[in-house]
Structures are given as C-alpha cells and as structure tokens.
Amino acid sequence: MVNHRSIYLNYAEQLKHPTNFAAAIQSFFHQDANINVVHPFNQLNGSKAYLEQFLLPLQDSFSGLYRRDDIFMFGAFEGQTWVSSTGYYVGQFVSDWIGISASQTLSYLRYGEFHRIDNYKVIQSYIFLDIPELMIACSQWPLDVGPGHSRGYTGLIQGPASRDGVLKEDSDPLDSKVSYQLVTEMLSKLATENETWRPYWHKNMMWYGPGAFGSFVGIDEFASFQIPFESQFKGWSGGSKNNGLTTHFARFGDGNYTCSGGWPSLTGINVKPFIGIGPTNERVFMRVCDWWRRENNLLVENWVFVDVPHALLQLGYDSLPNWK
C-alpha cells in the first residue's frame, strides 16, 4: 500500500547505495518544493536546485556516497503531514566541499531533515547538516574546541540504543501522544532558574549535540553545558515560549520518539562569548532541530542540530571563509 510513510521509506532506500540521485529526487520532491538547507546553502528553490547545488556536488566530493538512517518518523503538525529522519551521509572524502579540504579518508556527515508532504510529493523541506562535526573530524574547524567552547565529546554519533529508530509501521497513537506531550512540557521548562526541566529526563540520559557543542552523558553533565549556554543569550527563548520571534515548523510524536524543528527556533541577545566569539549585544536567531527517545515516562536520548555557521555569521564570524 502506498502512503506517506512508505514513499519516504522508498526514497531512503534509493539513497542507501545510489546510482541515480536524480531519479530519487524526482520521485520524492515536487519540482517547485521550497527546500531550506543549513548555511552555506540556505534556501534552494525547487528540486532541481537541491539536486544540482547540494546533492550532486556532495556525491562528487564523497566517493561511494550513501545515506544511513538511524531514526525515521511520520506524523502531523497543525494539519500538515510531515516525515523526518536523521542519520549520516557516508563516503570517501576525495574532493574539496564548501571550502573544506578533502581528507582522502572515510568520512561521516550527520544529517537531519523534515519534509512536508502534500498529495504524495514533498512541497517544503528543512535539512540540517552537522558541518562543524565534519570539520572537526578533518582538523579544519577554525575555532578553539577546548574547554569553554566544545567541552563535550565530538565524533561519530550513535543511533538509538534501543535500535528501533526506523519506524516502518504506524505506531500506537496513545504512545505517540505521550511522547509528544512529554517533550512539549519539558521544553516549556527550559531556561528556568530552578531547572524544572530535570524531572523529565533519566539521570543517565544522553545528549548528542552538534560538533561545536559536543555530546554529554548524564543529566548533571548536560546541565553543566546547557545552563552556561542559556546565559550567553539574554532573553533566551524558543518557539515553545510564544515569544513572537521564533516558531516551530513541525513537532510530532511517533511511538516512543518525538521530533521538533524551527527555522529559526531559538533567539536571544548575545551578552557573553558564544564558542569564543562575541559578545555583540545583538539579537541572534538559531535554526535548531531535535529528536528525542522516551523510555516509560522519561527522556533518555536526544539528538540535536544547530546551524552553527549561520549563528556565527550573525556574530560577524565566517566559519566557512573558503566557500564560494
């Protein structure tokens, strides 16, 4: 049976060991789709632009390129149909890409994406890439990644510990609702002085952050990153705070998983150095997305993307100066 979940799974299957990216793109995207990719790509108008400006150059730079999905989800948000996934593009980095010098080694580029589907075609997309993680792996991230900047682990991020993240069948709607509500309530507690977000998390939770931030195990270790991060931006808030400046393009649950994203999702006035840059005392907007896994009534894993190069540009720093 053809449905919105199955057409994405078919698209993902074509990207596992692709011989013809063009055919996969043509079958999945509407030709006039509004496709948003992290900096330096930003807005790409239509599936042809996505293929020619992003996907084919990526394939040229990474020999044997294929994609591996660690999480796949399907759901609805505000009457719209969405699919979402995260995992890695994998290949031999043989030719320079967006100003990053080829390492000539096996390389991993973490991706996360959200697609809005109408009449069995994607009409709107938000695609995240962990470019800093790749640059750090290639020893080309231009900023200090020592203590105070990226103090967490940086490297290959695992998929769910439960190994059940690719949801090929419809989930129990009650499970999906519990997951959604748990995340939504937790997000409403962020940036509170008494850390009221803590009870929503397992004490040994895993937080998989973007390369420039790092990843952490345990709620106390995560708090030692999150609280200083919030303090770098006066009035730090997100789409769930109804601040009138940010919003979420999607948030939904699917079984024990929840995903959410905003373009932008977070904002605040930069009042302390961010990854060693600033402060500028200017407002910064961040493109952010997440996936969470729930066990019983606690969150145990969280995969996070932030378009860090885009945020740094707003602080007057270009982390991709060789991109043309």
Side-chain angles (χ1 to χ4, degrees), residues 26 40 48 51 82 85 97 101 115 139 141 176 200 210 246:
Q26 184 176 9
K48 183 178 179 181
L51 178 68
W82 289 85
S85 69
W97 181 67
S101 298
H115 303 288
S139 301
W141 181 240
S176 301
Y200 296 87
T246 61

Side-chain angles (χ1 to χ4, degrees), residues 114-296:
F114 293 76
H115 303 288
R116 181 160 70 96
I117 300 178
D118 183 53
N119 196 26
Y120 301 101
K121 288 283 188 176
V122 170
I123 60 172
Q124 183 179 21
S125 297
Y126 296 92
I127 296 171
F128 291 77
L129 306 165
D130 196 343
I131 293 172
E133 182 183 283
L134 173 67
M135 296 175 74
I136 291 169
C138 297
S139 301
Q140 294 176 55
W141 181 240
L143 297 174
D144 182 5
V145 291
H149 299 155
S150 180
R151 53 175 296 276
Y153 161 81
T154 298
L156 186 67
I157 298 298
Q158 297 293 321
S162 52
R163 298 292 188 265
D164 62 355
V166 178
L167 305 177
K168 297 183 178 181
E169 305 293 336
D170 291 344
S171 302
D172 183 335
L174 292 178
D175 283 341
S176 301
K177 184 177 181 180
V178 168
S179 298
Y180 172 86
Q181 290 180 334
L182 183 66
V183 166
T184 298
E185 290 175 12
M186 181 276 296
L187 290 174
S188 73
K189 307 297 184 180
L190 292 178
T192 52
E193 291 185 4
N194 54 352
E195 302 173 34
T196 54
W197 50 267
R198 278 180 175 258
Y200 296 87
W201 294 91
H202 191 283
K203 67 179 182 179
N204 209 39
M205 51 84 85
M206 288 292 304
W207 191 83
Y208 307 111
F213 293 5
S215 298
F216 305 92
V217 59
I219 195 167
D220 290 333
E221 187 68 8
F222 168 66
S224 73
F225 161 79
Q226 177 68 14
I227 295 169
F229 168 65
E230 292 175 0
S231 74
Q232 294 165 6
F233 301 92
K234 182 180 179 180
W236 185 96
S237 63
S240 60
K241 298 289 187 178
N242 297 316
N243 57 24
L245 298 172
T246 61
T247 187
H248 291 117
F249 52 74
R251 184 188 299 161
F252 58 90
D254 193 358
N256 289 338
Y257 292 85
T258 305
C259 62
S260 181
W263 198 274
S265 176
L266 296 175
T267 188
I269 306 296
N270 176 225
V271 295
K272 295 181 182 179
F274 169 68
I275 322 180
I277 303 298
T280 63
N281 294 306
E282 299 289 339
R283 181 169 295 280
V284 175
F285 293 90
M286 293 188 184
R287 304 162 172 174
V288 183
C289 66
D290 293 74
W291 289 257
W292 296 264
R293 183 173 71 86
R294 172 180 63 86
E295 285 186 1
N296 299 316

Side-chain angles (χ1 to χ4, degrees), residues 29-36 44-47 122-125:
F29 290 90
H30 190 281
Q31 64 179 8
D32 296 324
N34 176 15
I35 303 174
N36 303 276
L44 300 176
N45 296 314
S47 58
V122 170
I123 60 172
Q124 183 179 21
S125 297

Side-chain angles (χ1 to χ4, degrees), residues 25 59 68 73 81 114 152 223 227 234 282 317:
I25 296 300
Q59 187 178 39
R68 170 187 107 190
M73 302 174 56
T81 299
F114 293 76
I227 295 169
K234 182 180 179 180
E282 299 289 339
Y317 185 84

